[in-house]
Amino acid sequence: MRIGELAKRADVSRDTIRFYERHGLIRSDVDPKADNSYRIYAEDAVLTLEVIRDAQAAGLSIAEITVFMGQFMAQDGETHDAQQFLEDRITEVTTRITASTRFLDMLRQTKAALARAPQDGLREMSKAKPDTGKKGQGSDT
Amino acid sequence: MRIGELAKRADVSRDTIRFYERHGLIRSDVDPKADNSYRIYAEDAVLTLEVIRDAQAAGLSIAEITVFMGQFMAQDGETHDAQQFLEDRITEVTTRITASTRFLDMLRQTKAALARAPQDGLREMSKAKPDTGKKGQGSDT
DNA sequence: ACTAACCATGGACCATTGTCAATGGTTTTG
DNA sequence: CAAAACCATTGACAATGGTCCATGGTTAGT
């Protein structure tokens, strides 16, 4: 298919597709039996764009997604780097999901508190604590 | 506490704290009985910075986090806008978590496939398909 | 007292992730 | 056929989220 159709089907702009392509996230060929310069995209490009969307939601940068796509398509070795990369991403994404969920709870609690005491403000909310469990050594250097 | 201590305790740079402050995400006062211009941060600023981190992980922009913080601290009305805002954020964050989780699965599957067929590449992976379901279109002219 | 370490302010600078506009060619369709 | 709609390429522009630097004042340790 051509870029316009892909754009419609994946719900992204043509410019975005071109941007991704420049960054190696997606590929296209030129129809050899046409003498124009129109690029042709495979069917699975739609899927690829959806994966890119998810990957971005998960916090990966374009550069990282490019690597992932490369890994995904890879045929040759470099298995070690690949494994390591994937492991790192898994850790990061997991962490992000945890933080997001924590924040989601906070949103819900805030909303509930607000519903409970509309004009009163929500000073009592102060009790809602995040529960990080990581940093914060109690004193200065 | 002063900015340096806060920076250490919350594990962000001083510049980032100042950046947040300029954008209304955090506040500080000047010690009235000191004649310097050093800013003093309350204890809970550490917590605030942690919440900001989570909110960012959840995909909120600085502007949105600022609104949330305002809501959180709010004393006056505007309950309707607040409720609506919170609801919208809840929907968005939930969606993001779903997408992230979907992508996380993909990472895991890719890793597994790679472990299974190191030199073979993972052509069979093609079967792993997401599961979106949207509509509409992006225009570009 | 002197120096290292800290602080404030302002503005320049940077990477990332696109978007837009100009220019010129191609295809489709009424 | 002629216009509308589509396509490619290039490069400028923009918003976001910081980071760095220069300058000058403050505090703390030795």
Side-chain angles (χ1 to χ4, degrees):
Chain A
M1 80 194 83
R2 302 200 292 218
I3 200 170
E5 191 187 340
L6 177 58
K8 244 162 226 164
R9 292 188 20 193
D11 192 29
V12 297
S13 75
R14 289 192 194 98
D15 277 337
T16 297
I17 293 173
R18 296 199 185 102
F19 173 78
Y20 288 165
E21 201 159 354
R22 273 201 298 289
H23 286 76
L25 263 158
I26 220 175
R27 261 173 316 122
S28 64
D29 304 289
V30 203
D31 189 343
K33 53 183 170 305
D35 72 335
N36 56 28
S37 53
Y38 291 9
R39 318 214 126 259
I40 301 299
Y41 297 85
E43 285 300 313
D44 62 16
V46 179
L47 204 63
T48 301
L49 287 172
E50 278 161 13
V51 172
I52 291 171
R53 216 200 292 290
D54 284 353
Q56 281 185 313
L60 274 79
S61 69
I62 295 296
E64 287 169 331
I65 300 173
T66 302
V67 174
F68 173 69
M69 288 312 192
Q71 230 95 96
F72 198 81
M73 301 307 181
Q75 247 143 296
D76 49 0
E78 289 327 298
T79 305
H80 172 63
D81 284 359
Q83 285 278 12
Q84 190 56 58
F85 173 83
L86 291 169
E87 215 150 280
D88 291 351
R89 270 354 96 204
I90 288 170
T91 302
E92 277 183 15
V93 173
T94 302
T95 299
R96 238 178 280 257
I97 291 175
T98 303
S100 300
T101 303
R102 200 158 50 212
F103 184 68
L104 181 57
D105 279 351
M106 203 149 202
L107 285 171
R108 291 202 174 114
Q109 281 178 37
T110 304
K111 189 184 157 212
L114 205 61
R116 209 180 309 117
Q119 87 296 359
D120 216 45
L122 18 71
R123 235 161 331 339
E124 24 109 19
M125 270 295 292
S126 314
K127 257 140 279 167
K129 57 157 218 260
D131 166 58
T132 314
K134 239 185 168 273
K135 67 221 50 188
Q137 50 268 57
S139 46
D140 46 326
T141 22
Chain B
M1 81 194 84
R2 301 200 295 218
I3 200 170
E5 191 187 340
L6 177 57
K8 244 162 226 161
R9 290 187 24 191
D11 193 28
V12 298
S13 75
R14 288 189 193 87
D15 277 336
T16 297
I17 293 174
R18 296 200 184 102
F19 174 79
Y20 289 166
E21 202 160 351
R22 273 202 297 290
H23 287 75
L25 264 158
I26 218 175
R27 262 172 317 121
S28 64
D29 303 290
V30 203
D31 188 344
K33 54 181 171 302
D35 72 335
N36 56 28
S37 54
Y38 292 9
R39 317 213 127 262
I40 302 299
Y41 297 85
E43 284 301 312
D44 62 16
V46 179
L47 203 65
T48 301
L49 287 173
E50 278 160 14
V51 172
I52 291 171
R53 215 201 293 292
D54 284 353
Q56 281 185 314
L60 273 80
S61 69
I62 295 295
E64 288 169 332
I65 300 173
T66 301
V67 174
F68 174 69
M69 288 311 191
Q71 230 96 96
F72 197 81
M73 302 304 183
Q75 249 145 296
D76 49 1
E78 291 326 301
T79 306
H80 171 62
D81 285 359
Q83 285 279 12
Q84 190 56 58
F85 173 82
L86 291 170
E87 214 150 281
D88 291 351
R89 268 355 96 202
I90 288 170
T91 302
E92 276 183 16
V93 172
T94 302
T95 301
R96 238 170 240 139
I97 290 175
T98 302
S100 300
T101 303
R102 202 158 47 211
F103 184 69
L104 181 56
D105 279 353
M106 203 151 203
L107 284 172
R108 291 203 174 113
Q109 280 179 37
T110 305
K111 190 185 156 210
L114 204 60
R116 208 182 309 118
Q119 88 295 3
D120 215 45
L122 18 74
R123 237 157 342 327
E124 21 111 21
M125 271 293 293
S126 314
K127 256 142 279 167
K129 57 151 216 265
D131 160 57
T132 321
K134 54 206 61 164
K135 280 259 101 110
Q137 75 205 47
S139 54
D140 138 21
T141 309

